[in-house]
Amino acid sequence: MDPQALLFSLFTPEGRENPFPALETLRETAPVYYDKDLDTYFLTTHEHCQAVLTDAAFRTPDLSWCEEHLSDWRDHPAAEFFYASMLRANQPDHTRLRRLVGRGFTPRRVAALRTAVEGLTDGLLDTFAETAAREGSANFQELVGYPLPVAVVGELIGVPAGDHPRFRRLGSDASRLLEPVRTPEDWARADAAVVELRAYFEELLDRRRAEPREDLATVLLEEQEGQERLSRRELVDTLLLVFVAGFETTTAMLGLATHALLAHPGQRALLAAEPDLAAQAVEEALRWDTPVQMTERIAGERTEIGGVTVPAGANVTTVLTAANRDPAQFTDPHRFDIRRTGSKVLSFSAGPHYCLGAALARLEGAVAVDRLFTRFPGLALAGPPVRRESFSLRVYEDLPLTTDGAAVSPSLTATTAKD
């Protein structure tokens, strides 16, 4: 099949649901494919993606990139936030921001959140159980998948529990910036979300200056007093980034991991027999159905990838979903195997922009999977899951589950497998 046809098939409902056959064919026939219409080189092997993500010669699109490619970026608060944030900043700004923010993500701080994660998970599962008992089924994403990461990142940042509900909509709207093609509606919703979130975190920082606590907002305020000062806008936008990045992708991971285990009864039985495999189950789910499908870089100099010349300034898209199922890196890559070890998954990217919150996300996933499947041995799908209409993020909006063991047709549980 024509490489472009394979690529564009991913934008169809069928391709969004199951992109793996098209990506496998693209990897086999054109592992480094330049699409003229999208003006980017798509990489689908693990080796090439890993090499680009870890090579300092490849930069992230930042504000200087906007000057050439997004002429109206100053009209969009979301663009100013997104392309100046730690997610898109390059050296030396990226190194400075990451070093300062990293104080809020030390192993000690993440470990200290375990008790909070466990308590929050148990409370949300109580509500999930009550709803399922009353109505016969419950939407896992609505009752656990979304509120758990919001609560955890709220605990980390210092957002009061009463403010959590409004954050789901704002986070979803802001995350439209991750889409490779943005509509006017995407920009409008992202802009409005960024304006509202900036105002919220401005107020939160004022409260923390008056009443310091053991949270990231206080840590960042302390950094403002140091030699490498964070500007007020950097303080606000860093909290905004941690919030959006810390909940949207983790929400996706929780739903995908739950669905993957339900789709593979043998692996679920293995987890029941060996609960200590919960962390490995989450890691395998991250590989098998990667939450963030792709990420982009800009070639800082003329180079060659897989025999293809990539000019300086060219856009390069690393397709993480394809890389995580590359048979050159993973034995029998389409098999979901929670005993798989030593996997070098790219689900949290790699190199300088490796996800700062990866350890916290893994903690949330392991706790949630362990408690969910231990508490509800009869957990089963109560209907077909519904994905969000997104190209960049694989996330369920609706994952209806029942706790009484009345499973639905097996055809509804394996929609993301290759075959």
Side-chain angles (χ1 to χ4, degrees):
M1 184 179 288
D2 172 55
Q4 188 178 70
L6 286 168
L7 184 66
F8 277 63
S9 73
L10 302 179
F11 289 89
T12 67
E14 296 77 16
R16 282 198 302 269
E17 182 61 37
N18 184 14
F20 306 108
L23 289 175
E24 181 172 31
T25 303
L26 188 62
R27 188 195 311 112
E28 292 171 349
T29 58
V32 181
Y33 166 63
Y34 176 68
D35 188 87
K36 293 182 180 179
D37 292 332
L38 298 176
D39 190 26
T40 187
Y41 291 82
F42 286 91
L43 311 184
T44 46
T45 74
H46 188 282
E47 178 186 3
H48 294 154
C49 290
Q50 172 83 15
V52 165
L53 293 172
T54 56
D55 187 345
F58 286 88
R59 299 167 60 83
T60 50
D62 56 13
L63 286 181
S64 63
W65 176 88
C66 287
E67 291 289 351
E68 291 186 49
H69 302 276
L70 195 64
S71 58
D72 65 342
W73 68 269
R74 289 181 178 82
D75 298 330
H76 295 289
E80 188 220 353
F81 151 70
F82 186 64
Y83 289 101
S85 73
M86 187 171 60
L87 188 67
R88 291 303 181 106
N90 288 292
Q91 301 242 22
D93 286 339
H94 175 263
T95 301
R96 176 179 62 89
L97 289 169
R98 190 177 177 95
R99 181 169 57 250
L100 295 174
V101 178
R103 280 189 55 197
F105 288 89
T106 63
R108 180 184 66 83
R109 283 184 176 273
V110 172
L113 285 169
R114 172 175 282 276
T115 300
V117 171
E118 292 173 341
L120 290 166
T121 301
D122 289 340
L124 292 170
L125 289 180
D126 286 343
T127 302
F128 172 78
E130 292 166 3
T131 303
R134 183 177 64 252
E135 301 180 8
S137 67
N139 181 357
F140 174 81
Q141 291 295 76
E142 179 74 28
L143 299 176
V144 182
Y146 277 99
L148 177 59
V150 171
V152 172
V153 78
E155 183 82 13
L156 173 72
I157 292 175
V159 175
D163 294 340
H164 292 174
R166 67 190 283 202
F167 278 33
R168 174 180 174 178
R169 172 186 58 82
L170 294 173
S172 295
D173 286 351
S175 70
R176 288 171 175 257
L177 292 165
L178 297 173
E179 296 299 324
V181 179
R182 300 149 188 164
T183 66
E185 181 189 0
D186 289 334
W187 276 115
R189 293 177 65 173
D191 285 340
V194 166
V195 169
E196 187 171 343
L197 285 167
R198 276 177 165 169
Y200 178 86
F201 287 120
E202 285 275 8
E203 182 184 347
L204 179 64
L205 286 169
D206 288 339
R207 279 185 277 164
R208 286 297 171 269
R209 187 176 294 281
E211 299 178 9
R213 296 186 183 179
E214 287 290 324
D215 55 34
L216 185 61
T218 302
V219 167
L220 293 182
L221 280 171
E222 291 171 353
E223 296 291 2
Q224 197 176 28
E225 308 302 327
Q227 292 182 338
E228 296 182 287
R229 294 171 61 92
L230 285 168
S231 69
R232 179 71 173 194
R233 175 51 57 86
E234 286 176 332
L235 279 171
V236 170
D237 282 1
T238 295
L239 291 176
L240 199 166
L241 175 66
V242 171
F243 162 68
V244 174
F247 115 75
E248 274 286 278
T249 53
T250 305
T251 288
M253 178 193 71
L254 293 173
L256 294 171
T258 298
H259 183 266
L261 285 161
L262 291 173
H264 298 83
Q267 295 299 300
R268 178 198 177 155
L270 181 58
L271 177 64
E274 302 181 47
D276 288 346
L277 288 174
Q280 282 181 224
V282 171
E283 198 71 8
E284 177 67 346
L286 284 165
R287 184 198 69 81
W288 192 75
D289 201 357
T290 306
V292 179
Q293 290 214 79
M294 59 192 66
T295 188
E296 59 185 328
R297 295 291 186 269
I298 306 298
E301 58 190 34
R302 183 177 181 273
T303 188
E304 187 175 285
I305 304 175
V308 176
T309 299
V310 177
N315 186 288
V316 177
T317 299
T318 59
V319 186
L320 309 180
T321 302
N324 281 338
R325 289 212 188 184
D326 185 351
Q329 180 68 32
F330 305 100
T331 302
D332 196 3
H334 298 299
R335 178 168 55 90
F336 181 74
D337 179 8
I338 67 173
R339 282 195 182 278
R340 194 186 298 268
T341 59
S343 292
K344 296 180 180 179
V345 300
L346 296 180
S347 308
F348 293 108
S349 191
H353 285 270
Y354 180 77
C355 177
L356 196 59
L360 181 58
R362 286 183 166 112
L363 170 63
E364 291 178 62
V367 169
V369 162
D370 178 29
R371 278 165 152 70
L372 177 68
F373 285 94
T374 298
R375 182 167 175 176
F376 306 111
L379 194 71
L381 277 173
V386 178
R387 292 186 191 270
R388 181 189 301 177
E389 290 190 8
S390 170
F391 183 68
S392 65
L393 194 64
R394 291 178 64 76
V395 57
Y396 288 114
E397 290 287 2
D398 189 0
L399 187 59
L401 304 180
T402 177
T403 59
D404 62 8
V408 299
S409 168
S411 64
L412 297 176
T413 68
T415 52
T416 57
K418 178 198 171 190
D419 50 15

